[in-house]
């Protein structure tokens, strides 16, 4: 089952049909434990369509915080160790990769997040920028994993590499996060063979592509959720980006107008263009 957001409307895609409810309390829905089973029954009272009734999709978020895990794949550890070598920060990444406590950082709320088809930004004071394609968990208020979406944890590698203490500036700014196109709701676990793929196009040419299976992740989802919910309450639920396993080569940086496509099997494709301008959200 896939859950889409268009304005305040919720659209559920289930067994080839679409069900729409025009005014939904998203915070109630996303904080709910057992959302898949709840919606399975609920959509029978919703308006039914054979085709998707709306083409404009919003990121599926309202009052939720988006957090992100870092250095959960060896590729991310290696890239970070290299970029922070000169600043003397390399050891931190090596240590956190093997530590019990994961790296978790606050990424964004809805006001800095865009959906599919919209623009993500690179910072004007950064010279080295990459997208980070990340499987993203929807976690209920009680800490249960209720669904999965696609996240783009836009990152400045030049700011982060200058000093690891600059991480919040490398990660958090207007239009720094993308989420969507939908939330996959299921009561089954995702297969370790599920692939995340990234494609970056410039002037209609693919300039970078790569893919990775989620089984390559060093940590379990349960472990990440355990640390995130240890001392924080999330009454409306939360999103957790689970880290990147794909990092373009060091000579690659994003340019204005690039198109970033992140696909995850079973969820879909999140497409965003790269911009600079501080457009209002
Ligand atoms: O420690 C820096 C951030 C790591 C990160 O965002 C990732 O591994 O995905
Ligand atoms: Mg990341």
């Amino acid at each position: 089952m896939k859950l889409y957001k268009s304005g305040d409307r919720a659209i559920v895609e289930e067994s080839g049909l679409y069900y729409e409810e025009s005014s939904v309390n998203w915070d109630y829905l996303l904080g709910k434990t057992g959302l898949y089973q709840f919606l399975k029954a609920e959509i029978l009272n919703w308006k039914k369509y054979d085709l998707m009734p709306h083409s404009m999709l919003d990121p599926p978020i309202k009052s939720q915080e988006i957090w992100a895990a870092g250095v959960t794949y060896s590729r991310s550890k290696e890239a970070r160790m290299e970029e922070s070598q000169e600043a003397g920060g390399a050891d931190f990444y090596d240590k956190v990769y093997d530590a019990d406590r994961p790296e978790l950082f606050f990424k964004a709320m809805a006001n800095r997040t865009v959906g599919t088809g919209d623009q993500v930004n690179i910072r004007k004071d950064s010279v080295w920028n990459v997208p980070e394609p990340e499987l993203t968990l929807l976690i209920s208020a009680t800490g249960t994993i209720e669904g999965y979406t696609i996240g783009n944890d836009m990152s400045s590698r030049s700011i982060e590499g200058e000093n690891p203490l600059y991480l919040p500036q490398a990660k958090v700014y207007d239009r720094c996060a993308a989420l969507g196109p939908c939330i996959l709701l299921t009561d089954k676990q995702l297969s370790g063979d599920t692939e995340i793929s990234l494609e970056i196009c410039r002037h209609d040419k693919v300039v970078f592509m790569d893919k990775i299976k989620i089984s390559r992740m060093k940590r379990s989802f349960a472990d990440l959720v355990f640390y995130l919910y240890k001392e924080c309450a999330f009454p409306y639920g939360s999103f957790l980006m689970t880290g990147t396993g794909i990092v373009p080569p060091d000579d690659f940086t994003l340019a204005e107008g690039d198109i970033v496509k992140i696909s995850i099997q079973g969820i879909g494709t999140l497409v965003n263009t790269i911009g600079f301008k501080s457009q209002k959200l």
Side-chain angles (χ1 to χ4, degrees), residues 1-4 30 58-61 66 113-116 133-139 145-152 178-186 190 194 196 214 221 238-242 262-270:
M1 174 188 290
K2 290 179 179 176
L3 174 65
Y4 297 86
L30 297 194
D58 288 308
I61 180 172
I66 303 175
T113 305
V114 304
T116 195
E134 306 192 8
L135 175 69
T136 300
L137 311 177
L138 166 67
I139 311 163
I145 297 171
E146 297 290 330
Y148 305 89
T149 184
I150 304 174
N152 181 351
L179 221 56
C182 64
I183 302 171
L184 171 71
L185 300 173
T186 168
L190 276 197
T194 304
I196 303 176
I214 62 169
F221 299 150
S238 65
F239 288 99
L240 176 58
M241 295 178 167
T242 57
I262 304 171
S263 302
I264 301 185
Q265 286 169 336
I267 307 177
T269 304
L270 173 67

Side-chain angles (χ1 to χ4, degrees):
M1 174 188 290
K2 290 179 179 176
L3 174 65
Y4 297 86
K5 185 172 189 293
S6 178
D8 271 340
R9 283 182 290 254
I11 298 139
V12 166
E13 181 184 348
E14 168 72 343
S15 308
L17 291 172
Y18 296 85
Y19 301 83
E20 184 199 82
E21 174 59 54
S22 54
S23 87
V24 156
N25 185 339
W26 275 91
D27 286 341
Y28 169 76
L29 219 54
L30 297 194
K32 202 161 174 54
T33 308
L35 181 57
Y36 171 71
Q37 293 299 346
F38 172 78
L39 281 177
K40 243 185 150 173
E42 194 68 11
I43 55 173
L44 301 177
N45 306 314
W46 293 13
K47 213 166 159 186
K48 194 159 93 181
Y49 297 87
D50 288 333
L51 297 170
M52 179 63 150
H54 297 283
S55 52
M56 292 292 289
L57 295 177
D58 288 308
I61 180 172
K62 189 147 193 204
S63 307
Q64 292 69 34
E65 295 176 18
I66 303 175
W67 282 69
V71 200
T72 50
Y73 290 81
S74 63
R75 177 70 186 111
S76 177
K77 175 185 80 162
E78 284 153 18
R80 254 97 202 180
M81 286 179 74
E82 260 172 59
E83 81 189 6
S84 62
Q85 194 83 45
E86 232 171 82
D91 270 8
F92 289 109
Y93 296 108
D94 204 17
K95 282 186 183 142
V96 83
Y97 186 73
D98 291 317
D100 284 343
R101 183 188 292 276
E103 177 194 4
L104 295 176
F105 58 92
F106 177 75
K107 175 70 183 174
M109 292 190 72
N111 64 327
R112 298 213 165 87
T113 305
V114 304
T116 195
D118 209 341
Q119 178 179 303
V120 284
N121 277 2
I122 47 183
R123 293 183 61 117
K124 290 190 273 304
D125 58 356
S126 166
V127 293
W128 188 15
N129 303 286
V130 290
E132 293 193 350
E134 306 192 8
L135 175 69
T136 300
L137 311 177
L138 166 67
I139 311 163
S140 72
T142 60
T144 50
I145 297 171
E146 297 290 330
Y148 305 89
T149 184
I150 304 174
N152 181 351
D153 170 25
M154 289 289 293
S155 301
S156 160
R157 294 195 64 189
S158 48
I159 294 177
E160 179 186 284
E162 195 179 331
N163 189 322
L165 293 179
Y166 292 153
L167 186 79
Q169 294 175 76
K171 295 286 192 178
V172 183
Y173 54 90
D174 291 345
R175 292 176 179 268
C176 65
L179 221 56
C182 64
I183 302 171
L184 171 71
L185 300 173
T186 168
D187 51 6
K188 298 188 185 65
Q189 288 200 337
L190 276 197
S191 154
D193 282 336
T194 304
E195 264 179 7
I196 303 176
S197 62
L198 169 66
E199 189 179 285
I200 305 173
C201 299
R202 185 170 299 163
H203 309 307
D204 294 330
K205 284 209 179 81
V206 176
V207 287
F208 176 77
M209 65 185 297
D210 201 359
K211 58 186 178 192
I212 192 158
K213 288 190 174 158
I214 62 169
S215 58
R216 299 277 300 278
M217 196 172 136
K218 169 87 188 297
R219 296 179 187 270
S220 69
F221 299 150
D223 185 37
L224 298 177
V225 175
F226 171 74
Y227 276 96
L228 181 62
Y229 275 56
K230 238 176 194 289
E231 295 288 336
C232 289
F234 297 96
Y236 310 120
S238 65
F239 288 99
L240 176 58
M241 295 178 167
T242 57
T244 189
I246 300 178
V247 182
D250 290 358
D251 59 0
F252 179 88
T253 187
L254 286 167
E256 191 173 14
D258 285 355
I259 296 173
V260 174
K261 297 181 193 169
I262 304 171
S263 302
I264 301 185
Q265 286 169 336
I267 307 177
T269 304
L270 173 67
V271 183
N272 296 105
T273 47
I274 298 298
F276 263 120
K277 319 244 159 33
S278 56
Q279 283 187 358
K280 286 262 175 294
L281 278 163

